[in-house]
Amino acid sequence: MSGAEAPDAVDGRRPLWVVPHEVPAIVPRSSRSTEPRWLGVYRWAAVGGDLLAAMLGVFVALLARFGSGVGSGYLIVSSLLPLAWVAAVALSKGYDPRYFGTGPDEFRSLLRSGVGLTAAVAMASYVTKTEIARGFVVLAIPVMCAAALCLRYALRKDLHRHRVRGRCMHRVLVVGHSVPAATLCEHLESRPTDGFRVVATCRPRTEEVTDGPLHADELDEADILAAADRHAVEVVAISTDPELVGHSLRRLSWALEQRGIELIVSPGIIEVAGPRISVRPVAGLSLLHLERPSVSGGPHLMKAVFDRVMALSMIILLSPLLIGLALAVRLSSPGPVLFRQQRVGRAGSEFTMLKFRSMYADAEQRLGDLYALSDGNGVIFKMRDDPRMTPLGRWIRRFSLDELPQLFNVLRGEMSLVGPRPPLSEEVALYAADDSRRMLVKPGITGLWQVSGRSDLSWDESVRLDLRYVDNWSMTLDLLILWKTVRAVIYGAGAY
């Protein structure tokens, strides 16, 4: 079967083509565990980490609130609180294998658990007329929640390291016609840290039409089940397919449920995040509802307030660094401290973007001689060893310190802390019709492009990331990007 297409016939019916992506591990389903061993290890490690975090929170709260004089009542509460914390995480699906290693879903379950446990303790105290010191609760639960987040993050990173090496993966069978199945395979395998490894694809036999109960291009669940058993898969992924719907898909889900195999269905919608997608029952049907992206209104007013408050706070906090960098730029080479350049902002309005000067004063005049040596992406000019750059400029670009004056652009409302990359007017002139969606929001000092490779990205990748941000914006996404920006700046990946 390796390297060739082999039919997978069941009950004399015309089979699907099954294309193995590796030499199949043929293990009888009756002798296989319904859950891989690494899932159990991860779950128990998560439970142990949550218990450890809860005990740390209780210890810190007792020590800070009571010192050495702890009453017997608080000792009982302190012994029950770690168990209540683990139960709260379990109720919030914090130990659901579907969310292991995914990041946001795991972290949200811990945050929901912290809020839920605080409410439960308050209600229990009210119902039982028990006096529990507010200082104890307010300190214990946030500390345990923060400690649990840190431990779960470390556990997730360890799982990612294993997955990059090809371990702790879910074996996947992709079902569908050639083009959508190939697209789904590409997306599933593009990020190994998500934990999906396609071991086979299962698609209709379209080369010829033979007599029998099946017609050309018609999928049948019995063939899919036979392929799933043969390749010992843990997940069956259905690509967008008009034939495998309705009752056929329902029967397939029942059969896979009996085998302990997870079923996932691709809706064919790309670059749309989960919060914008919801399933709504209408007339007995489960319809996929796609929310419109938020580009104005209350959430963006909150973003504008957050941006200005954070920008002002950072300017005050970093003022010694800003003054020191300004003096260094002035003394390192002749020319102005700040480099000013016209960029295009929201709705096509132009503004003057500020940066610390990192090149010699005649850099713009020398640009024409260097275009042929560009390391950029065909639209944006970039050079890894740009001779126009000063020694100090090379260093401040390495750590993105040259972009700090853009905090004043944020304070003036021209930019945001997080957003698409601010383009030049000549770049905007090359935009396709879809690319102009980037200008529905303010450009940002950082963004998905900043934490995904920066100058190493191709033009198409840069546009795709900016459009993904516009379509899926949320304050949670902004905070996540700000967190990842710190790591990107420290390592300096893609900065030149």
Side-chain angles (χ1 to χ4, degrees):
M1 287 189 40
S2 179
E5 296 186 348
D8 198 9
V10 177
D11 298 333
R13 292 175 288 184
R14 190 175 59 79
L16 302 171
W17 281 126
V18 179
V19 185
H21 288 223
E22 60 180 32
V23 177
I26 302 176
V27 183
R29 183 162 296 279
S30 59
S31 65
R32 285 196 285 126
S33 171
T34 57
E35 183 178 275
R37 180 175 176 272
W38 70 266
L39 283 177
V41 173
Y42 189 96
R43 182 184 293 109
W44 282 112
V47 171
D50 290 341
L51 281 173
L52 181 62
M55 289 188 287
L56 176 64
V58 167
F59 174 77
V60 170
L62 287 175
L63 191 63
R65 182 66 177 81
F66 303 107
S68 58
V70 182
S72 58
Y74 278 98
L75 290 177
I76 296 174
V77 172
S78 300
S79 62
L80 294 176
L81 206 54
L83 299 177
W85 169 250
V86 172
V89 175
L91 290 174
S92 299
K93 299 184 179 180
Y95 306 124
D96 192 325
R98 290 178 297 174
Y99 304 135
F100 287 171
T102 58
D105 290 312
E106 271 191 300
F107 301 151
R108 273 194 292 266
S109 69
L110 294 175
L111 294 174
R112 286 196 302 266
S113 302
V115 174
L117 185 58
T118 302
V121 170
M123 291 179 62
S125 175
Y126 176 77
V127 170
T128 60
K129 307 295 185 184
T130 303
E131 291 295 331
I132 300 178
R134 287 189 294 271
F136 171 77
V137 176
V138 168
L139 188 58
I141 295 180
V143 169
M144 71 173 64
C145 190
L149 285 170
C150 293
L151 291 173
R152 191 66 69 93
Y153 177 79
L155 186 60
R156 172 173 168 261
K157 284 299 180 183
D158 183 63
L159 177 61
H160 286 181
R161 283 191 290 270
H162 283 288
R163 284 177 168 174
V164 168
R165 298 184 180 100
R167 300 192 291 265
C168 303
M169 306 290 280
H170 297 286
R171 296 170 60 86
V172 182
L173 170 69
V174 172
V175 179
H177 292 278
S178 298
V179 175
T183 301
L184 182 57
C185 288
E186 180 183 352
H187 281 278
L188 289 177
E189 294 186 326
S190 62
R191 294 203 327 179
T193 54
D194 288 341
F196 292 105
R197 181 172 63 215
V198 178
V199 297
T201 56
C202 189
R203 63 178 187 262
R205 182 179 179 181
T206 59
E207 286 78 3
E208 59 181 2
V209 180
T210 59
D211 295 333
L214 292 179
H215 301 290
D217 297 326
E218 185 177 337
L219 298 170
D220 185 85
E221 65 269 17
D223 299 303
I224 298 169
L225 295 175
D229 288 337
R230 171 172 298 188
H231 293 277
V233 300
E234 297 150 8
V235 179
V236 170
I238 309 294
S239 63
T240 307
D241 200 296
E243 282 115 18
L244 192 57
V245 293
H247 194 56
S248 296
L249 188 58
R250 189 184 186 192
R251 289 199 310 267
L252 177 63
S253 68
W254 292 342
L256 292 175
E257 179 185 348
Q258 293 175 353
R259 286 167 163 76
I261 300 176
E262 185 179 353
L263 175 66
I264 58 177
V265 180
S266 169
I269 303 173
I270 62 172
E271 303 294 352
V272 177
R276 285 187 57 205
I277 299 176
S278 60
V279 178
R280 297 184 180 179
V282 178
L285 300 174
S286 296
L287 302 182
L288 199 66
H289 185 81
L290 188 64
E291 300 285 350
R292 288 178 295 180
S294 173
V295 295
S296 61
H300 277 266
L301 177 61
M302 181 174 64
K303 175 183 171 71
V305 173
F306 174 80
D307 283 341
R308 285 188 165 97
V309 170
M310 285 297 296
L312 181 60
S313 302
M314 292 177 68
I315 289 171
I316 295 173
L317 182 66
L318 299 176
S319 55
L321 176 62
L322 292 170
I323 295 172
L325 287 173
L327 290 174
V329 171
R330 169 66 74 180
L331 297 174
S332 64
S333 63
V337 171
L338 294 177
F339 173 71
R340 293 174 169 85
Q341 190 175 48
Q342 290 299 113
R343 296 292 181 113
V344 182
R346 185 178 184 182
S349 60
E350 292 194 358
F351 67 98
T352 302
M353 190 183 74
L354 304 176
K355 298 177 72 172
F356 280 126
R357 181 175 57 83
S358 59
M359 294 185 175
Y360 292 105
D362 62 346
E364 291 295 313
Q365 289 73 32
R366 298 165 60 186
L367 179 60
D369 300 331
L370 300 173
Y371 258 117
L373 304 176
S374 175
D375 295 318
N377 51 34
V379 177
I380 303 173
F381 177 84
K382 287 283 185 178
M383 283 189 69
R384 292 184 181 274
D385 297 310
D386 197 324
R388 303 171 301 158
M389 200 174 299
T390 66
L392 175 66
R394 199 175 303 277
W395 182 79
I396 63 176
R397 277 203 177 189
R398 169 70 172 76
F399 296 102
S400 299
L401 297 176
D402 60 320
E403 298 176 359
L404 287 178
Q406 292 168 31
L407 291 170
F408 292 97
N409 290 117
V410 175
L411 200 60
R412 294 200 300 241
E414 299 164 338
M415 292 181 65
S416 175
L417 290 177
V418 182
R421 191 188 64 81
L424 295 164
S425 56
E426 51 264 33
E427 295 172 19
V428 175
L430 298 175
Y431 279 2
D434 294 340
D435 300 346
S436 60
R437 285 184 61 84
R438 302 168 84 185
M439 294 184 290
L440 289 176
V441 298
K442 294 177 184 178
I445 298 178
T446 184
L448 283 176
W449 49 273
Q450 175 87 341
V451 300
S452 304
R454 295 198 267 185
S455 297
D456 291 334
L457 296 173
S458 69
W459 172 254
D460 290 338
E461 289 172 331
S462 177
V463 171
R464 179 176 57 83
L465 290 171
D466 284 343
L467 293 179
R468 180 192 296 177
Y469 175 81
V470 173
D471 283 342
N472 302 298
W473 175 83
S474 68
M475 282 301 301
T476 303
L477 179 60
D478 274 8
L479 294 174
L480 181 63
I481 291 173
L482 288 172
W483 167 255
K484 289 187 174 183
T485 298
V486 176
R487 184 177 60 184
V489 168
I490 291 173
Y491 287 104
Y496 54 87

